[in-house]
Amino acid sequence: MAVVDAAPEVQATFTVENPATGETIANVPNLDAGGLRDMVERARAAQPAWEALGFEGRAKVMYEMRRWAVENRDRIAQTISEENGKPPDEAILTEVFYVCDSLGFWAKKAPKYLGDERIRTHSPLLLGKKVITRYRPYGVVGVIGPWNYPLTNNFGDAIPALVAGNSVILKPSSVTPLTSMLMAEGFRAAGGPEDVFQIATGTGGTGAELVKLADMIMFTGSTEVGKKILAQAAERITPVSLELGGKDPMIVLRDADVERAANTAVQWAMSNSGQICISVERVYVEEPVYDEFVSKVVDKVSALRQGVPAAPGAVDVGAMTFPSQLDVVERHVKDAVDKGAKVLTGGKRGDGPGLFYEPTVLVDVDHSMACMTEETFGPTLPIMKVRDEEEAIRLANDSPYGLDSSVFTRDVDKGERVARRIEAGATCVNDALTNYLAQEAPFAGAKESGMGARHGAPGIRKYCRTQTILVTRFAASKEPTMFPYTAGKAKMLGKAMELMFGRKGRKKNGG
Ligand code: NAD
């Protein structure tokens, strides 16, 4: 059995298992505090030369690494599949493709997002002065990742940090460290300098040590651990960016393309065995199309092929990744059934040694049930009938989470109106979660789903501190605002304030 992240005792190594077969596939070091300190020191020593390479020098390594990743795509997909349980073709689609795209995206966009900004200041007191804001890498960034996307949500977050000029220490989940280790090999093969990108394999304790040592922390994982990290980071005022849990709602309105809505719901509730932070976790369907939607979803879910991932095309749904996650799914389904829900297909563990839970559809559900209010993170799709759009919006917003969401309607204006009322970091109209591929657009969880953003300008600026430089080129030796204070100067300032701010209404240029 793999070591659980919260294991109290520090062991020298831990085992990694294939969740689809139960076989042990590797033994990996569990880095202790001393080992991690050495790693951080080496990263700190290597960072200035990496920063000095400039955008172009770092981009070269990223493009080279993209070429390496394309050449090695089957090996990467196989590694992901073996430690995570998803089919290798799904690993290519949702992880390898994303990371290849991301390597080029950040390499190309970094000079625009992180270039010096010349500021035109509005203040009359600064007339003639030059003001520039620049972005400087923090130094050593700690990226702490989850097990559900061993590549996308681990190395994927290291890319913009590296491109910005930081050294990165990546602490993958102890359940799925092998993909990150493989990416360190890729970084070296692409000509990445020694110690600029290192992997700290270990359990939750190793992650907690990293929070004590790094200059900035990018964390993806559960809301529970995210809160602990935020509290710990407060001790050194370490900046953190948190990508946390979700309970994403889908709303299907009476005028929706029901076939498309059903296909989308099944795809993004069952992909990766439902272990996606932005999976479709609950559906609200307006009464007139409820029966049609449920019947289509049940047909499609029943037709899914589940099993040990093998060659591309062999199965649709693989194994779940983490034993205790399977327990959560089982608990949510039992809780729902105990409170009156019906299972229309699935509803139990699979046979054999692997971690399988049958793709499951639940109806007659409501918000007294955990499956509608807590993150399930499994292959379940609870569907609730609603009277109208208003009820759907109210229920969609009735959650401590606010990650992604979706609305289905043929009236796209109405879809956009409804989208604007959903309390979430993103909402798709007639689609689900594909906003994640728009790397230009910030992806940022609302409420307890996180703080800070992935993607877009904020997705790389978060790895930098800002420095504003003000340059006074031509000026008198003494400015009128300098000492001594006199009654005459005070009177002049009062007059100036009356002129500038004392009139009714706002000045056109915001004064
Ligand atoms: P987790 O919070 O249990 O673990 C995440 C990482 O944190 C692991 O590497 C773990 O070793 C480490 N860790 C554990 N305790 C720690 C501590 N005290 N200090 C520092 N690090 C510590 O999450 P998980 O079970 O691996 O992943 C599933 C969760 O991740 C789900 O809630 C899912 O929604 C969320 N997730 C969110 C996003 C997003 O983008 N918002 C993406 C993927 C997953």
Side-chain angles (χ1 to χ4, degrees):
M1 229 197 73
V3 168
V4 181
D5 278 343
E9 77 278 21
V10 177
Q11 301 168 335
T13 60
F14 56 87
T15 59
V16 181
E17 287 177 1
N18 181 330
T21 61
E23 286 161 26
T24 296
I25 49 175
N27 255 302
V28 174
N30 186 18
L31 210 65
D32 63 10
L36 191 68
R37 259 197 309 276
D38 290 348
M39 202 178 248
V40 172
E41 265 170 37
R42 290 201 305 276
R44 211 171 280 297
Q47 187 270 335
W50 176 242
E51 182 182 350
L53 273 183
F55 292 124
E56 219 172 290
R58 295 192 294 275
K60 238 185 185 167
V61 175
M62 296 296 140
Y63 286 125
E64 192 49 33
M65 188 153 177
R66 184 172 68 176
R67 203 183 55 75
W68 176 89
V70 172
E71 264 174 23
N72 288 274
R73 62 187 180 280
D74 292 334
R75 196 174 149 216
I76 301 170
Q78 198 55 32
T79 306
I80 295 171
S81 176
E82 279 173 12
E83 64 177 352
N84 164 278
K86 73 184 71 176
D89 27 353
E90 191 172 293
I92 298 258
L93 176 72
T94 62
E95 303 221 53
V96 185
F97 183 94
Y98 170 85
V99 155
C100 287
D101 187 35
S102 213
L103 281 160
F105 174 79
W106 291 115
K108 184 169 168 219
K109 293 284 187 176
K112 176 174 164 236
Y113 290 150
L114 300 182
D116 286 1
E117 277 178 49
R118 182 78 184 263
I119 309 289
R120 256 178 216 285
T121 165
H122 75 291
S123 174
L125 301 180
L126 295 178
L127 269 179
K129 294 177 200 269
K130 175 172 149 188
V131 180
I132 300 161
T133 294
R134 66 182 282 238
Y135 296 91
R136 312 176 67 175
Y138 277 114
V140 178
V141 168
V143 174
I144 302 177
W147 45 256
N148 62 330
Y149 280 90
L151 183 60
T152 296
N153 292 145
N154 283 268
F155 180 65
D157 281 320
I159 300 169
L162 286 166
V163 170
N166 297 282
S167 284
V168 170
I169 294 184
L170 168 58
K171 207 304 274 174
S173 166
S174 57
V175 182
T176 55
L178 304 179
T179 307
S180 294
M181 292 164 82
L182 182 55
M183 295 322 275
E185 185 188 318
F187 187 73
R188 276 193 303 275
E194 200 64 23
D195 297 331
V196 164
F197 175 54
Q198 302 176 76
I199 310 301
T201 52
T203 55
T206 309
E209 285 302 318
L210 186 54
V211 179
K212 289 185 199 156
L213 299 170
D215 302 319
M216 186 273 174
I217 290 290
M218 166 65 221
F219 172 78
T220 304
S222 61
T223 296
E224 187 190 345
V225 174
K227 286 179 183 176
K228 283 190 199 160
I229 288 178
L230 190 56
Q232 200 190 341
E235 287 178 22
R236 291 193 306 130
I237 318 283
T238 304
V240 292
S241 184
L242 304 174
E243 295 286 352
L244 309 177
K247 187 73 193 169
D248 293 358
M250 173 186 277
I251 294 177
V252 182
L253 297 176
R254 61 189 70 208
D255 61 347
D257 175 343
V258 178
E259 177 67 15
R260 178 167 174 82
N263 278 326
T264 311
V266 173
Q267 175 67 39
W268 297 122
M270 303 303 166
S271 171
N272 202 22
S273 288
Q275 303 168 120
I276 316 180
C277 55
I278 46 179
S279 63
V280 176
E281 283 251 338
R282 51 195 170 118
V283 188
Y284 304 98
V285 188
E286 270 197 283
E287 215 163 352
V289 289
Y290 174 83
D291 289 339
E292 185 190 352
F293 179 81
V294 169
S295 133
K296 282 181 186 289
V297 163
V298 170
D299 285 351
K300 291 171 199 299
V301 170
S302 311
L304 292 172
R305 299 159 303 156
Q306 185 179 41
V308 176
V315 296
D316 302 308
V317 182
M320 293 191 65
T321 311
F322 192 39
S324 65
Q325 199 59 48
L326 218 152
D327 298 340
V328 173
V329 177
E330 207 162 41
R331 176 167 64 77
H332 282 195
V333 173
K334 182 176 181 315
D335 168 75
V337 170
D338 286 351
K339 289 174 179 160
K342 273 203 220 64
V343 174
L344 296 187
T345 179
K348 58 178 174 28
R349 281 177 190 248
D351 304 322
L355 301 177
F356 292 95
Y357 195 91
E358 291 177 356
T360 297
V361 178
L362 290 163
V363 292
D364 295 345
V365 291
D366 61 44
H367 279 217
S368 71
M369 301 170 187
C371 71
M372 294 301 279
T373 55
E374 295 174 26
E375 186 178 48
T376 306
F377 223 55
T380 58
L381 192 57
I383 308 170
M384 184 170 171
K385 190 192 291 182
V386 291
R387 251 188 337 272
D388 55 22
E389 189 183 306
E390 282 308 311
E391 188 182 17
I393 295 169
R394 182 177 60 75
L395 289 168
N397 288 339
D398 178 24
S399 171
Y401 295 112
L403 204 49
D404 215 321
S405 49
S406 53
V407 182
F408 283 77
T409 166
R410 282 198 172 85
D411 178 348
V412 290
D413 291 335
K414 178 166 74 174
E416 217 180 300
R417 270 200 313 277
V418 172
R420 285 172 190 274
R421 294 180 60 196
I422 307 287
E423 294 162 4
T427 305
C428 295
V429 178
N430 297 328
D431 217 329
L433 67 74
T434 47
N435 58 283
Y436 202 82
L437 300 177
Q439 296 202 42
E440 298 79 359
F443 171 83
K447 301 197 261 185
E448 291 196 15
S449 287
M451 58 187 269
R454 190 179 266 146
H455 301 162
I460 190 164
R461 288 183 180 161
K462 71 182 176 187
Y463 294 120
C464 298
R465 61 183 98 247
T466 55
Q467 181 188 23
T468 291
I469 299 175
L470 181 145
V471 181
T472 301
R473 276 173 295 193
F474 313 106
S477 313
K478 191 167 183 179
E479 308 233 357
T481 46
M482 290 175 178
F483 293 132
Y485 297 142
T486 64
K489 284 186 189 177
K491 207 169 157 192
M492 246 171 62
L493 185 61
K495 280 243 152 66
M497 284 181 66
E498 267 172 33
L499 262 172
M500 288 170 67
F501 314 127
R503 275 170 296 165
K504 271 201 176 151
R506 288 181 63 213
K507 268 178 81 176
K508 212 172 154 200
N509 59 6

